[in-house]
Amino acid sequence: MSTLKRFFKDTIIYGIAAVLPRAINIFLVKLHTSTLDAEKYAVNTDYYVYAAYLNALLTFGMETTFFRFFSREKDKGKVLSTSFISLLISTLIFLFFALFFNDVIAAFFGFKNPLFFKLLVYTIALDTLVVVPFAYLRVTNKPLKFTAIKLINIIVFSILNVFFLWFVPYAIQNEIYLPESLVNYYNEYPKVIHIFVAGAVASLSTFLLMISAVLKFKFNFDFKLFKRMLVYSFPIMIGSLAFVTNENLDKLLLGDMLGEKQMGIYAACYKLGVFMTLYIVAFRMGAEPFFFNNADKENAKETYSKILTWFTIFGAFFMLIVVVFIDLFATILLGKPEYFEALSIVPIILLANLFLGIYNNLSIWYKLTDKTKYGMYFSIIGAFITIVFNIIMIPKIGFMASAWATLFAFGTMMIVSYFVGQKHYPVNYKLKKVTYYLISSTILGLVSFHVFRGQYWFSVCTIFLFFGLIYFNEKMEIKQLLKR
């Protein structure tokens, strides 16, 4: 139980660093949607979709690879330096070619302003260079420094967003003095570019804060070690690219097939599904190093089983809260009523993301057994479902097709990973209990959404009912956890 206690403690600490920035980002959605119309919001969405692809490509699975090799290699310093130098070299090569062919690449990806792509290049390069330093802070259990730097990043980003998207236009409208150069800059470029500039400046601030840690690394590149790490990481990179496709290709296809406005509306409502993503990211931040560091423990598999059960319980509970209060969350976070059109996708996206979180739990088997190629296969299967379902169904049912495609893709990945994993690394997961909470939460959410939507007395009763189910079934373990 002390192992579980330590796991939950690490998850909470690192979860703050992962969740709080994304939570603040959610609240920035209202600033963005109230400032930008749906078409311009679609440009913002495109920008961060391409950012996700470039991030997966440039990091080439090195974060997970670093955790794996750091936990089992005797020479920790060599693992650290080899990981960092490999990312440094690849990033410098990327910078050279991306900036040299900036105009051509920007036009190819559909950026109307080449400056958009240049900002994206700088931002991704800076973010890539801090991947290993951040991973090092996690694996050496330095949560306070990790959290502080992550929070500074989002504070810088938020302040610049508020400054350019709210204060500057407010000052101009009310004739508050601003330097002429600032006013000219604001008027010269489209509003959406200020979001991208804020992101680049925030990434630069993070990089500067991490320089002191980077300078402490011993620059000792071991080519033989790198080849072994690359064999492990390459399937992860392919899987990451396929995973980004699962999460983001729908938005690009919607923009091409239905227009930028429909894509912008879908993307804004998709953000409400981020509540589940926050929970998953918080969990993963503490779980990944924990799983590797405890793989050799005698009761490791029993611990993994308990973690999956409680992950599902909390995830189902969070999903239900968002669904029963969906109109309240939409009013607070989305701003303009034009974005409410796609609220029907939110319950589907929430369940899809919960499936993804369960898949992340299950994926530990191929990471611990060094069979990362299976993760690549599962993600490719999901990407195939995403692409085919969207292309066939978007013309027939619009943006709802993208939501269902996400659910089917992540659900399939979860199921296939479980059955394949049980052959290679069997764990006695409590399937009946996990399924019970998933079905109970889903049914209660559907009844609330389709029958009692907006009736908050029923929403509150639903939450208490589900909480009662949890307590009734888990009261013995809850009492033990509280006692310890």
Side-chain angles (χ1 to χ4, degrees), residues 320-452:
L320 186 61
I321 290 174
V322 177
V323 172
V324 300
F325 293 108
I326 190 168
D327 291 303
L328 181 61
F329 284 119
T331 302
I332 294 172
L333 299 177
L334 294 184
K336 294 181 181 178
E338 69 172 310
Y339 290 99
F340 293 7
E341 180 183 339
L343 281 179
S344 53
I345 72 166
V346 177
I348 302 171
I349 295 300
L350 286 167
L351 183 58
N353 284 336
L354 183 52
F355 284 168
L356 174 62
I358 295 173
Y359 167 78
N360 287 338
N361 272 267
L362 299 173
S363 69
I364 192 61
W365 74 261
Y366 64 73
K367 294 176 182 177
L368 290 178
T369 57
D370 293 347
K371 296 179 180 178
T372 52
K373 62 181 180 180
Y374 284 98
M376 176 181 69
Y377 298 153
F378 302 149
S379 295
I380 290 174
I381 291 171
F384 177 78
I385 293 172
T386 298
I387 294 169
V388 173
F389 195 92
N390 272 290
I391 290 175
I392 294 175
M393 298 304 296
I394 285 177
K396 297 179 179 180
I397 59 175
F399 52 64
M400 289 301 298
S402 297
W404 285 114
T406 305
L407 180 67
F408 294 150
F410 290 154
T412 302
M413 289 167 60
M414 174 186 70
I415 293 169
V416 174
S417 181
Y418 170 77
F419 284 107
V420 177
Q422 288 301 95
K423 295 181 180 179
H424 295 273
Y425 189 82
V427 177
N428 185 27
Y429 292 114
K430 308 301 181 184
L431 282 188
K432 289 184 179 179
K433 186 173 288 189
V434 167
T435 304
Y436 168 77
Y437 286 115
L438 283 174
I439 293 176
S440 299
S441 178
T442 301
I443 291 175
L444 289 172
L446 287 174
V447 171
S448 176
F449 186 83
H450 290 290
V451 181
F452 295 97

Side-chain angles (χ1 to χ4, degrees), residues 78-103:
K78 193 172 289 186
V79 174
L80 177 62
S81 59
T82 300
S83 303
F84 179 76
I85 292 172
S86 63
L87 288 182
L88 175 63
I89 294 172
S90 62
T91 301
L92 292 175
I93 294 172
F94 163 75
L95 267 175
F96 174 79
F97 284 101
L99 294 177
F100 188 80
F101 296 104
N102 179 73
D103 292 354

Side-chain angles (χ1 to χ4, degrees), residues 44-78:
N44 179 59
T45 301
D46 281 341
Y47 181 91
Y48 284 104
V49 167
Y50 290 126
Y53 274 108
L54 287 175
N55 180 266
L57 185 65
L58 281 183
T59 56
F60 54 90
M62 190 53 67
E63 182 183 49
T64 300
T65 303
F66 171 77
F67 287 132
R68 178 57 173 160
F69 279 78
F70 193 88
S71 66
R72 71 180 184 183
E73 295 289 324
K74 292 183 179 179
D75 193 341
K76 311 292 186 186
K78 193 172 289 186

